[in-house]
Amino acid sequence: LYTAPDSCEGRCGEPFSEEDECHCHTGCERDHNCCEDHERHCGPDGFSSSRDSITDQELLELSEQLYGVDHNKARPSDIAINPQHRAGPDETGDKQDRSPQPLYKYVNEELFSKPTYASFIKLLDNYQRATGREEEVTAEELREQDRFLEEVMKTELMKKLFTFLQGKNRYGSEQEFVQDLREMWFGLYSRGDGERDSSGFEHVFSGEVKKGKVSGFHNWIRFYLLEKQGVVNYFSHNFDGPWDTYPDVLGLQFSWDGFYKEVGSAFIGCSPEFEFGLYSLCFLARPGRACHLSLGGHHLSVQTYPWTKSTYGGGRRFIATAYVMSP
């Protein structure tokens, strides 16, 4: 089910990539670089057939399809941003605010009344941002998680993603898929001193503070809401994607209550389900590696990392982080 970077489960016959820890392509035995379980999964009697591996071409095609069915994304008239200063490589780390104006000039907040946005926003205040402080999860917060998953699964985008993964024998039913999404994204683990203080969702979408720095925090809605409150200060950007409609991609520098983020990448103007679905796809297909996608004819990559220190459900990994890569 879960494609581990050091295993051939679900990876038999996939193309060779230098980024892989070990390999599962047909020539790996000749090259002496197969994963240890290559024979068990990919040998003549193996139980991970090559037709269940997710190819690079399939990722390009599916990401374009998901991009095409993101019906809840912002229209060009819904958001106006003001990127101001473009930081050079020697400027991103110096904590200088080179953009006097906020990043967001205007956001049509009617977007936030759409069910996936409304249920997503309810999740954002459920977390202690400091690592090392145990998360207390209330019954109400668990209901909010379920509501969000329920709403995103009503969308054509997430139904298309599920159909694809089911066709690859990753999940037998939508119920199984939703349960795994719940665990991989919302399951708690420890980034601190043994306290169950973090989850993939908190890190990626809400943001954390670790060792005096902003950690994670890759979501445009969260950024906009906190900038509006005056607790996030936009400094500059180092990358602005080639898209002339939403979603776009921005690499940005900012501070959150005085804690600094040197390079934080984010999709701008996508729906919550688009980001959630794309990151989930990349985590399942290319965990720990760059996941090469195509949106509106432009290539981009998503990087995910599994949490390696604890597991759930018989060895599956939680999401440690996921973000769109800005060159």
Side-chain angles (χ1 to χ4, degrees):
L1 247 181
Y2 168 78
T3 312
D6 56 355
S7 168
C8 281
E9 185 175 355
R11 291 176 54 200
C12 300
E14 77 174 22
F16 172 81
S17 169
E18 287 182 359
E19 295 165 350
D20 294 344
E21 284 181 29
C22 59
H23 303 278
C24 310
H25 62 289
T26 46
C28 72
E29 287 175 320
R30 180 193 66 233
D31 301 337
H32 306 294
N33 57 10
C34 298
C35 299
E36 283 184 17
D37 61 2
H38 177 262
E39 181 61 28
R40 185 160 66 94
H41 285 291
C42 311
D45 304 317
F47 52 84
S48 280
S49 71
S50 59
R51 71 174 179 273
D52 293 340
S53 68
I54 298 172
T55 68
D56 289 351
Q57 185 60 34
E58 284 172 326
L59 286 172
L60 294 174
E61 290 169 3
L62 180 61
S63 53
E64 281 289 2
Q65 290 168 15
L66 298 180
Y67 177 78
V69 296
D70 185 13
H71 304 307
N72 287 327
K73 69 185 174 190
R75 295 161 306 186
S77 59
D78 287 330
I79 300 175
I81 61 171
N82 182 15
Q84 301 164 80
H85 183 78
R86 183 163 188 154
D90 55 336
E91 293 178 327
T92 57
D94 65 9
K95 304 184 184 179
Q96 295 297 309
D97 183 358
R98 294 181 167 87
S99 301
Q101 302 300 316
L103 174 61
Y104 287 92
K105 285 200 287 194
Y106 169 75
V107 170
N108 175 11
E109 294 193 9
E110 284 181 19
L111 280 172
F112 300 160
S113 62
K114 294 181 183 227
T116 58
Y117 285 81
S119 58
F120 173 82
I121 289 167
K122 274 200 159 51
L123 295 168
L124 295 175
D125 64 358
N126 289 356
Y127 300 102
Q128 302 258 15
R129 70 179 179 187
T131 56
R133 292 174 64 185
E134 179 140 10
E135 293 292 344
E136 303 281 339
V137 184
T138 66
E140 175 66 20
E141 288 171 355
L142 289 172
R143 281 195 294 274
E144 289 173 356
Q145 292 172 13
D146 287 344
R147 180 70 191 276
F148 172 70
L149 290 167
E150 194 181 298
E151 292 299 344
V152 297
M153 286 310 300
K154 290 176 185 173
T155 65
E156 186 181 350
L157 188 152
M158 288 297 285
K159 287 191 182 301
K160 188 176 280 290
L161 174 60
F162 165 68
T163 300
F164 174 81
L165 293 169
Q166 186 182 38
K168 293 292 182 180
N169 287 321
R170 301 301 171 103
Y171 299 101
S173 66
E174 192 172 300
Q175 186 181 359
E176 189 187 341
F177 178 46
V178 171
Q179 180 57 31
D180 201 37
L181 288 172
R182 183 184 288 107
E183 290 288 351
M184 75 171 76
W185 279 107
F186 294 105
L188 293 173
Y189 50 83
S190 172
R191 286 184 200 265
D193 308 313
E195 305 285 352
R196 293 170 74 226
D197 61 349
S198 188
S199 67
F201 187 92
E202 176 186 6
H203 180 84
V204 172
F205 293 104
S206 184
E208 299 181 292
V209 171
K210 184 177 181 183
K211 296 180 179 172
K213 291 182 178 176
V214 176
S215 182
F217 196 145
H218 297 287
N219 179 256
W220 76 271
I221 300 166
R222 173 72 160 161
F223 190 101
Y224 165 74
L225 293 171
L226 291 182
E227 186 178 62
K228 187 181 168 187
Q229 290 172 27
V231 293
V232 157
N233 180 14
Y234 170 73
F235 281 18
S236 55
H237 71 287
N238 62 299
F239 173 76
D240 190 355
W243 296 270
D244 52 14
T245 58
Y246 296 115
D248 197 358
V249 176
L250 204 64
L252 61 164
Q253 292 67 50
F254 62 92
S255 76
W256 178 17
D257 267 346
F259 299 103
Y260 188 60
K261 181 76 175 180
E262 189 170 324
V263 179
S265 59
F267 285 108
I268 309 289
C270 67
S271 68
E273 61 267 27
F274 175 82
E275 214 170 355
F276 190 73
L278 218 57
Y279 290 160
S280 300
L281 168 65
C282 284
F283 182 68
L284 290 162
R286 301 287 186 270
R289 295 175 281 157
C291 174
H292 304 300
L293 309 173
S294 178
L295 304 180
H298 297 289
H299 283 224
L300 83 165
S301 300
V302 162
Q303 178 73 49
T304 65
Y305 287 103
W307 186 252
T308 56
K309 296 175 185 172
S310 55
T311 60
Y312 70 90
R316 295 185 214 169
R317 304 283 176 88
F318 302 103
I319 291 176
T321 192
Y323 54 89
V324 56
M325 295 165 78
S326 53

